[in-house]
Amino acid sequence: MEINRYLVESALLTHGLKSISNEELINRWKSDRKNIAWVDNGNVIIGGIEEFVEFRKNSDSLIRIDCYQLEDAIKNKKSGALTASGTMKVCEREGIKLAITCGMGGIGDIIGEELCPDLPALRDIHVALISTSPKDMLKIDETIDWLKENNVRVVSKNTDRCSGYIFNSADVEIEKVDKLSYKSLTNRLLILNAIPNEKRVNDLSILEKAIQNGKEAEKQGRYYHPAVNAKIDELSRGYSSEIQLDSIIANVELAEEICYK
């Protein structure tokens, strides 16, 4: 069996795609590798899409696990989906050079996540990350600036701008590169693979309403990001879930190109 060269985070797939059923997820997922990472009863699992969907059926009871929470989750036999930083930590444990996420964390006003663990993970964990973009509700310009100030290289094959995630919400300069290869993967490397601008949600008022929903979730002790995603999904009639699924699949395809071609 071929050794994994990358792992895919499970937080978006578990909690972020409100309108995507398990059946649709299986049908649309293009990779047949065992390349998705999660934690089940304290065990780090690396499995394929059908095995993951069995885990996803219990999404309402599953926590989100970042790089700081991983050891506790293992020790105390917790079950949860891995965020970008949590996946990077698993990659480090397994000797894997690349992790994949979709919308990543950054700098914002989310309680307990003013500086998302994804950022220090990129600085401190010896694993590269493919992401679509920092999420729209964050301060994307400050996020990119923090990464650059901490010697994290931010690159893209397609553009020299980071213009947002689901929305066209930013305009920040990044480095455009012609080619990415497995040998060139290093730590302190963020590879952005944006959703095409014309496919994004155009109505920024949806983002404002979704942020309000996230803040209400915080007050009730619920997770912020799934609440925001759910409201965007509702107000876009499922479209946001469709383009996020397309995006994480595109990020896996980019990883395939980098790691195996």
Side-chain angles (χ1 to χ4, degrees), residues 71-173:
E71 291 304 323
D72 175 73
I74 293 170
K75 179 181 178 181
N76 292 299
K77 299 191 178 301
K78 296 179 181 179
S79 296
L82 289 163
T83 67
S85 71
T87 308
M88 291 175 72
K89 195 68 177 175
V90 170
C91 285
E92 184 179 55
R93 287 162 52 103
E94 298 290 329
I96 295 170
K97 293 171 64 175
L98 181 62
I100 298 173
T101 187
C102 201
M104 60 177 281
I107 293 173
D109 63 354
I110 300 165
I111 295 173
E113 205 177 292
E114 291 80 5
L115 178 72
C116 176
D118 293 351
L119 300 190
L122 276 160
R123 180 191 62 197
D124 300 333
I125 297 175
H126 288 192
V127 174
L129 179 68
I130 293 177
S131 171
T132 307
S133 168
K135 295 174 183 175
D136 299 290
M137 77 287 293
L138 303 171
K139 299 172 182 176
I140 293 179
D141 54 347
E142 292 184 26
T143 297
I144 300 293
D145 286 346
W146 187 96
L147 290 167
K148 292 176 180 178
E149 288 165 6
N150 284 271
N151 299 313
V152 177
R153 189 179 175 203
V154 184
V155 307
S156 172
K157 279 187 65 179
N158 305 316
T159 178
D160 63 357
R161 316 299 296 180
C162 176
S163 58
Y165 176 41
I166 298 173
F167 300 85
N168 292 299
S169 62
D171 185 23
V172 184
E173 185 176 2

Side-chain angles (χ1 to χ4, degrees), residues 2 56 84 194 214:
E2 195 165 23
R56 187 184 191 243

Side-chain angles (χ1 to χ4, degrees), residues 147-217:
L147 290 167
K148 292 176 180 178
E149 288 165 6
N150 284 271
N151 299 313
V152 177
R153 189 179 175 203
V154 184
V155 307
S156 172
K157 279 187 65 179
N158 305 316
T159 178
D160 63 357
R161 316 299 296 180
C162 176
S163 58
Y165 176 41
I166 298 173
F167 300 85
N168 292 299
S169 62
D171 185 23
V172 184
E173 185 176 2
I174 57 173
E175 179 186 353
K176 186 177 180 180
V177 294
D178 293 328
K179 187 175 181 180
L180 293 161
S181 68
Y182 186 69
K183 289 183 179 179
S184 70
L185 291 178
T186 63
N187 61 312
R188 295 186 175 179
L189 176 64
L190 172 62
I191 303 164
L192 297 182
N193 190 34
I195 295 170
N197 291 46
E198 67 274 11
K199 291 188 176 180
R200 298 185 201 172
V201 178
N202 289 322
D203 186 355
L204 281 169
S205 71
I206 290 176
L207 176 60
E208 295 172 10
K209 293 171 184 173
I211 290 171
Q212 291 172 6
N213 199 56
K215 289 299 179 186
E216 286 300 316

Side-chain angles (χ1 to χ4, degrees), residues 49-60:
I49 191 64
E50 293 191 6
E51 187 180 359
F52 168 73
V53 160
E54 290 302 310
F55 171 79
R56 187 184 191 243
K57 289 176 181 178
N58 300 311
S59 61
D60 288 347

